Amino acid sequence: MLRMVSWNINGIRSPLQGMVYEEPSNCAAMAMGRILDKLDADIVCLQETKVTRDVLTEPLAIIEGYNSYFSFSRNRSGYSGVATFCKDSATPMAAEEGLSGLLATHNGDVGCYGNMDEFTQEELRALDSEGRALLTQHKIRTWEGKEKTLTLINVYCPHADAGKPERLSFKMRFYRLLQIRAEALLAAGSHVIILGDLNTAHRPIDHWDAVNLECFEEDPGRKWMDGLLSNLGCQAGSHVRPFIDSYRCFQPKQEGAFTCWSAVSGARHLNYGSRLDYVLGDRTLVIDTFQDSFRLPEVMGSDHCPVGAVLSVSSMPAKQCPPLCTRFLPEFAGTQLKILRFLVRLKQDPVFKHSALRLGKQTQVQMHQNKARVRSARPRPSHAGSSRGQKNLTNYFQPSSSRPQVSPILELPSVGALMTPKTLEEEAMARVVEGQASVSEAKDEKEVRTSFWKSVLGGPSPMPLCGGHREPCVMRTVKKPGPNLGRHFYMCARPQGPPTDPSSRCNFFLWSRPS
């Protein structure tokens, strides 16, 4: 059996995904190995790694028992990126970054690019510059004993922002390039699996609120998927298109089978999400070899959950990893020298070491003898009767005898001596008045301090109650560019869910201060 898993990990350097908290260590490098082991797959495809080559560390990229392949974003740091980890028992015979072939090195590449004349060179470079596609090609053996080629396309398709129409165009061109490459591989005789985050919910059953979305079926991404995928079901007569959604082949009517939820609104608690992650196989491969297609919603740590499939084939590992493997990168392969390399103490020959030690001891003895001769030859100053001795610091502050003596200062009588003495009664009254004044000052100072610390430690004002549940609200901040950017507002603290569910968030909204 060959088991493969795909997961939008939402940052490979984050404290790696809910599983990390089961261990005392929060090190991402150590967590990566634990995650691969717990996913228990022969091939693991990750999307949205958010890592570039300059910050990729060796413990994170090279995991014992696996060989890994990365595609990085070339325009932005901490953005996009995909990675594929293959067990050594499923080592690919070829690997390639990108869909266009412009990033190919012509050594260990997958090949089969199809007709891309409809794209300009600049457009192809732009589509492959965000690190969204990674291909690995494997040799497999079917249960009948036949050897075949299987190509996996690990993709993280672009998201279409409603406020940026150019990104919708970019997304659709990426879809088109992906389809051309996949169909070219099929035409060359290879089986093909497209797996990853396609960023489109295909059918109304794949979205929590498809009924309320305008023109749901008219979305360009959904129309593209209609042209790529065959009808649901595994009957041979119904297949007219090259690929099958493997999960819907096994679970055609499963509702709530979502793979992505909003982390900000807590929508995962009420399963208020959409299905954006897929394992698409060519129809012959799905019908003949797919045993299962599944989701893993219990795996936490990202706003997506893993998806995967099990095939009734065995992998035939290549004898050597393709050149794209991370262990061949200069910074990890030992070919790039580091400063520490020049600071390592080298082993010396015992005879040379003994002679060097004797020479060092002789040199030290000779240096001590030379210092002793210098001290004995140095003249010693005579302290008795020396007129050039070092003067005391106080010598410079003694008064000179040539200066005229200043006349002594006349002491004037104090003001109190000129005043008439007070009687015992007046002194007692004065002491009482002074005591009352000091007590009132101390009391005022204490009240000031008390009021100050009450204002500091009193905490924020209580949260308003939402209208639907009469529960304390939560404060949010407007992050969308516009006149209200940075303003605070209150909303219901419950997780987002279907409007018909009374346990989900109500529509309460209140600005924290008047505009």
Side-chain angles (χ1 to χ4, degrees):
M1 293 292 180
L2 181 67
R3 175 184 168 96
M4 57 188 66
V5 169
S6 171
W7 190 15
N8 182 320
I9 201 169
N10 194 24
I12 197 172
R13 289 182 299 162
S14 58
L16 275 166
Q17 320 314 342
M19 302 177 183
V20 169
Y21 301 105
E22 300 175 6
E23 303 289 342
S25 172
N26 287 333
C27 176
M30 297 177 61
M32 191 68 236
R34 291 197 296 272
I35 283 185
L36 293 176
D37 292 341
K38 291 196 175 186
L39 291 176
D40 192 25
D42 299 289
I43 302 172
V44 177
C45 297
L46 304 177
Q47 300 88 40
E48 204 170 0
T49 58
K50 297 182 181 180
V51 66
T52 48
R53 180 171 172 176
D54 59 321
V55 297
L56 182 65
T57 60
E58 182 174 351
L60 190 61
I62 301 178
I63 308 298
E64 184 177 358
Y66 294 83
N67 48 90
S68 62
Y69 309 85
F70 280 76
S71 180
F72 310 101
S73 172
R74 286 160 168 76
N75 297 331
R76 293 169 55 184
S77 180
Y79 175 74
S80 188
V82 294
T84 299
F85 287 81
C86 303
K87 279 187 176 179
D88 292 339
S89 58
T91 300
M93 60 181 181
E96 183 180 331
E97 183 181 7
L99 297 172
S100 67
L102 296 181
L103 303 179
T105 60
H106 306 292
N107 183 15
D109 296 324
V110 174
C112 303
Y113 302 103
N115 186 0
M116 300 183 181
D117 293 342
E118 61 186 89
F119 298 91
T120 64
Q121 291 293 306
E122 291 77 10
E123 192 175 11
L124 291 175
R125 289 192 187 93
L127 291 172
D128 272 346
S129 66
E130 295 184 356
R132 294 185 175 274
L134 189 63
L135 284 73
T136 54
Q137 197 166 65
H138 307 257
K139 278 289 184 184
I140 59 173
R141 180 182 285 113
T142 64
W143 63 275
E144 299 171 342
K146 297 180 180 179
E147 295 183 4
K148 296 187 177 182
T149 302
L150 172 63
T151 304
L152 268 63
I153 307 180
N154 177 8
V155 291
Y156 174 45
C157 296
H159 170 70
D161 192 341
K164 298 179 180 179
E166 68 277 4
R167 290 302 292 179
L168 176 60
S169 175
F170 185 87
K171 177 179 181 177
M172 297 312 300
R173 296 299 282 170
F174 186 89
Y175 278 158
R176 176 59 181 160
L177 182 61
L178 172 61
Q179 184 173 356
I180 290 176
R181 185 71 188 273
E183 291 178 350
L185 288 164
L186 281 175
S190 172
H191 288 297
V192 178
I193 292 179
I194 302 172
L195 71 169
D197 181 359
L198 297 188
N199 252 319
T200 295
H202 185 204
R203 299 293 186 191
I205 196 176
D206 299 322
H207 196 282
W208 57 268
D209 199 21
V211 178
N212 296 324
L213 293 179
E214 295 183 3
C215 305
F216 182 88
E217 300 288 350
E218 301 301 319
D219 178 79
R222 295 183 179 94
K223 285 191 170 183
W224 173 79
M225 293 188 73
D226 289 340
L228 181 72
L229 301 179
S230 297
N231 294 330
L232 300 181
C234 296
Q235 292 78 16
S238 63
H239 296 146
V240 292
R241 298 184 180 90
F243 289 92
I244 292 179
D245 179 355
S246 64
Y247 185 80
R248 286 304 175 198
C249 182
F250 289 92
Q251 304 288 343
K253 297 181 180 180
Q254 179 65 48
E255 296 183 356
F258 304 139
T259 65
C260 179
W261 305 265
S262 172
V264 176
S265 62
R268 192 166 187 170
H269 296 285
L270 299 175
N271 195 27
Y272 197 61
S274 56
R275 192 169 74 98
L276 305 180
D277 304 85
Y278 299 83
V279 179
L280 311 178
D282 69 81
R283 58 189 182 185
T284 302
L285 184 70
V286 172
I287 294 172
D288 295 342
T289 67
F290 270 58
Q291 298 297 305
D292 189 19
S293 186
F294 55 85
R295 301 178 306 121
L296 299 175
E298 69 277 4
V299 177
M300 309 298 289
S302 172
D303 54 346
H304 292 248
C305 76
V307 298
V310 178
L311 285 68
S312 60
V313 300
S314 59
S315 176
M316 302 174 60
K319 295 181 179 180
Q320 186 176 0
C321 298
L324 189 64
C325 183
T326 51
R327 68 179 60 171
F328 297 137
L329 295 177
E331 55 265 39
F332 301 147
T335 57
Q336 176 173 307
L337 296 180
K338 302 179 181 180
I339 294 179
L340 292 178
R341 174 63 179 83
F342 300 96
L343 302 178
V344 176
R345 181 177 297 176
L346 301 177
K347 295 182 179 180
Q348 296 181 352
D349 184 71
V351 178
F352 175 77
K353 184 176 182 180
H354 180 67
S355 60
L357 183 61
R358 290 181 55 191
L359 180 60
K361 290 183 177 179
Q362 293 176 1
T363 305
Q364 291 180 1
V365 172
Q366 187 174 2
M367 289 177 61
H368 286 302
Q369 293 175 353
N370 292 339
K371 288 183 179 180
R373 294 194 193 98
V374 171
R375 291 196 196 98
S376 61
R378 186 179 299 166
R380 297 182 179 179
S382 176
H383 295 284
S386 176
S387 60
R388 299 184 61 186
Q390 182 174 349
K391 295 182 178 181
N392 196 321
L393 187 61
T394 58
N395 294 336
Y396 296 96
F397 296 96
Q398 293 178 356
S400 175
S401 59
S402 60
R403 290 186 180 180
Q405 296 294 331
V406 182
S407 59
I409 301 175
L410 296 175
E411 294 185 2
L412 298 176
S414 62
V415 178
L418 299 176
M419 296 176 62
T420 57
K422 294 182 179 180
T423 64
L424 295 177
E425 185 178 355
E426 290 176 345
E427 290 180 358
M429 289 295 296
R431 283 196 295 270
V432 171
V433 172
E434 290 177 0
Q436 292 178 352
S438 61
V439 170
S440 61
E441 289 178 0
K443 188 178 297 184
D444 293 342
E445 185 177 357
K446 184 178 180 180
E447 290 178 357
V448 170
R449 289 180 179 177
T450 303
S451 61
F452 169 75
W453 285 113
K454 281 185 177 180
S455 63
V456 172
L457 302 177
S461 56
M463 291 287 181
L465 303 180
C466 67
H469 311 99
R470 305 305 297 170
E471 297 175 351
C473 292
V474 64
M475 178 182 286
R476 301 294 187 198
T477 304
V478 178
K479 297 182 179 180
K480 185 177 181 180
N484 292 321
L485 179 65
R487 289 191 63 186
H488 302 290
F489 61 91
Y490 300 103
M491 62 186 300
C492 180
R494 292 200 179 191
Q496 188 178 13
T500 56
D501 189 347
S503 63
S504 64
R505 174 188 300 169
C506 63
N507 295 327
F508 180 82
F509 177 88
L510 178 68
W511 289 112
S512 63
R513 56 181 181 273
S515 56

